[in-house]
Amino acid sequence: MSSTVPDLGDTDQLKAMLEDVASPEQLRALLDAPGVDDEMIDGFVAAVGAEGVLDKVFGLMGEHFVAERAGNDGGVVRWDVTAPGGTLSYGLSIRDGAAIGERGAPAGPKVTLTLSVPTLLRLCAGRLNGVEGFMTGRIKLAGDMMFGAKLPGWFDY
């Protein structure tokens, strides 16, 4: 995977880059490329479609969930993600040793996190600490704060 800044006008190249991301390490390589900032990330998301990016991210969350770290804890997390074109909601259900992400606002979430696409990508790549994101206002949390504070530790970055 290339770690150079993509041409935002080449949608095929951008979709191929997104398709190639299979791990937090690969996501970090993209985010760490020279010139990649929030504006570049939003441009990428606008070009390939926010749903495609978020579907990929929430699919990868399930693959990088470490059940032993969560123990018997679990519940539903609602993610309200601000993307170019508006806010999209996703649910992440953590139960029975698995984390399953899906498009749409889940019913009865234990916690709701509100953040931008760039913040979500940095969080998932291990480039932003969840507590730091919350303390600096980049991540808003409603609901069970203790559950929300433990959540980042349950994934392998």
Side-chain angles (χ1 to χ4, degrees), residues 31-153:
L31 294 173
D32 291 346
V36 174
D37 58 12
D38 286 6
E39 185 178 335
M40 171 67 72
I41 294 169
D42 282 338
F44 177 93
V45 171
V48 299
E51 290 88 355
V53 172
L54 295 177
D55 288 351
K56 180 75 170 188
V57 167
F58 283 92
L60 288 171
M61 277 188 196
E63 293 174 22
H64 293 277
F65 177 70
V66 182
E68 299 79 33
R69 293 183 190 170
N72 292 326
D73 217 345
V76 176
V77 181
R78 176 177 173 159
W79 300 76
D80 290 333
V81 184
T82 305
T87 299
L88 300 169
S89 295
Y90 277 72
L92 185 69
S93 297
I94 300 170
R95 66 177 178 279
D96 302 324
I100 300 168
E102 58 190 0
R103 199 183 292 183
K110 198 170 197 175
V111 67
T112 298
L113 302 173
T114 304
L115 65 171
S116 68
V117 171
T119 298
L120 174 65
L121 294 179
R122 287 188 180 94
L123 183 67
C124 291
R127 287 295 185 238
L128 175 66
N129 175 288
V131 173
E132 177 188 336
F134 174 74
M135 296 302 285
T136 60
R138 294 171 75 182
I139 301 171
K140 307 250 188 290
L141 187 146
D144 186 337
M145 293 190 79
M146 290 304 294
F147 180 80
K150 292 186 282 184
L151 187 64

